Amino acid sequence: MNDAAITFGPALVVVLILLTVAGAAVVHWGELGQGRAVLIAAARAVAQLAAVSLVITAVLRSTPLTGLFVLLMFGIAAVTSARRVGTWANLPWTALAIAAGVAPVLALVLGAGVVPLRPIAVVPIAGIVIGGAMTATSQAARRALDELKARHGEYEAALALGFLPRPAALEICRPSAGHALIPALDQTRTVGLVTLPGAYVGVLLGGAGPIQAGLTQVLVLIGLLAAEAVSILVTVQLVAAGKLSRDVTIENVGVSRDRAHRRRFRGARNRRRRSRAQRRERSPRQS
């Protein structure tokens, strides 16, 4: 057994419980959200990793099962992102955004032979890239939708100036959504100085040397940057086109908002016409 590996025992259980309770307490008493969410997330992490640990050996022995496992990870990522953005109706579009970032990165690293086409190598790389693209998609969509809601007056002003709905939405939401790439940028900039990310530590614990661990981590970080950048770009375009939204009302962005704008404009124009007609009717009577 590797002496550097973390082993299961009473001390580990106690430490995990203390960390979970402390996190939940800080969230609850600091009014940062629901402390229960921390407890549920920790319990799910334990249960899910336990289940994966039981089946991963069989998965890694079979190439078809490995492919199915990667597809399962992708499907769960798309569902999670859709729920985080707002509604189940977003599922096809969050899947598209995540796939747009993940597919070219995996195709390049596997096709070039940089990552061996073996289950033991494909599963962790695919999982890391899919997870990064999922987070970037969720963050970009939420930031873009929040910005459009907060600055809806500017969006309508852009429409009044002659902008089409999609370009007008892009002018509002693109800068804010781009901030979703900041965590990946900071992690890449500070790697080795502030943090030693999971891939580096995992390769070291697996018995490889520091040079091999460093090469693996660099590949993962730059691959994540590329995947997340593409996913964020696609997400912003989908939000501007009205495909990604929090509900199905006229408060959505894109075409539906433009229709609402036109309805309000026509209503105001009709009211002005009626007001002018009433004044003309009253004028002869007064004279």
Side-chain angles (χ1 to χ4, degrees), residues 217-241:
Q217 186 61 64
V218 167
L219 176 65
V220 167
L221 288 175
I222 296 178
L224 272 174
L225 270 179
E228 292 186 26
V230 174
S231 291
I232 291 170
L233 174 63
V234 173
T235 299
V236 171
Q237 296 295 328
L238 290 172
V239 169

Side-chain angles (χ1 to χ4, degrees), residues 2-287:
N2 191 339
D3 293 336
I6 297 174
T7 57
F8 178 79
L12 177 62
V13 174
V14 171
V15 167
L16 290 176
I17 292 175
L18 288 176
L19 290 174
T20 303
V21 172
V26 169
V27 170
H28 176 72
W29 295 109
E31 298 182 355
L32 303 176
Q34 294 184 347
R36 183 179 62 179
V38 176
L39 300 177
I40 294 174
R44 284 188 58 175
V46 172
Q48 290 164 188
L49 285 174
V52 169
S53 299
L54 293 175
V55 303
I56 196 68
T57 302
V59 169
L60 296 181
R61 288 175 179 171
S62 168
T63 300
L65 286 180
T66 298
L68 291 176
F69 191 73
V70 171
L71 288 176
L72 176 63
M73 289 192 294
F74 172 77
I76 293 174
V79 169
T80 301
S81 185
R83 292 180 60 189
R84 183 64 63 188
V85 173
T87 69
W88 286 98
N90 293 318
L91 180 56
W93 307 114
T94 55
L96 174 62
I98 294 172
V102 171
V105 171
L106 291 184
L108 178 60
V109 298
L110 294 176
V114 176
V115 174
L117 197 57
R118 296 169 51 196
I120 191 66
V122 172
V123 169
I125 294 295
I128 292 171
V129 176
I130 291 172
M134 174 193 71
T135 303
T137 297
S138 300
Q139 289 295 322
R142 289 174 63 87
R143 287 173 180 269
L145 291 170
D146 287 343
E147 196 74 2
L148 281 172
K149 182 178 180 181
R151 299 171 60 187
H152 185 58
E154 296 178 45
Y155 171 79
E156 291 189 336
L159 293 178
L161 291 173
F163 280 76
L164 293 175
R166 184 168 163 273
L170 284 174
E171 288 293 322
I172 301 298
C173 71
R174 186 158 43 195
S176 176
H179 294 165
L181 195 61
I182 289 177
L185 286 171
D186 286 347
Q187 185 180 28
T188 304
R189 288 168 177 161
T190 60
V191 64
L193 300 176
V194 179
T195 62
L196 291 176
Y200 184 89
V201 176
V203 173
L204 280 180
L205 293 177
I211 300 299
Q212 186 177 4
L215 292 174
T216 302
Q217 186 61 64
V218 167
L219 176 65
V220 167
L221 288 175
I222 296 178
L224 272 174
L225 270 179
E228 292 186 26
V230 174
S231 291
I232 291 170
L233 174 63
V234 173
T235 299
V236 171
Q237 296 295 328
L238 290 172
V239 169
K243 303 298 184 183
L244 277 173
S245 60
R246 288 210 170 97
D247 51 49
V248 294
T249 68
I250 61 173
E251 292 302 317
N252 293 345
V253 298
V255 176
S256 54
R257 277 189 170 179
D258 183 45
R259 290 172 179 168
H261 169 77
R262 289 199 299 266
R263 282 196 292 269
R264 287 193 294 269
F265 177 78
R266 286 196 297 267
R269 182 179 59 189
N270 292 336
R271 287 192 295 271
R272 288 194 299 269
R273 287 177 176 174
R274 287 195 296 269
S275 178
R276 286 195 296 267
Q278 291 172 357
R279 286 197 299 269
R280 284 196 298 269
E281 291 177 357
R282 288 195 296 266
S283 295
R285 298 173 184 173
Q286 294 174 354
S287 58

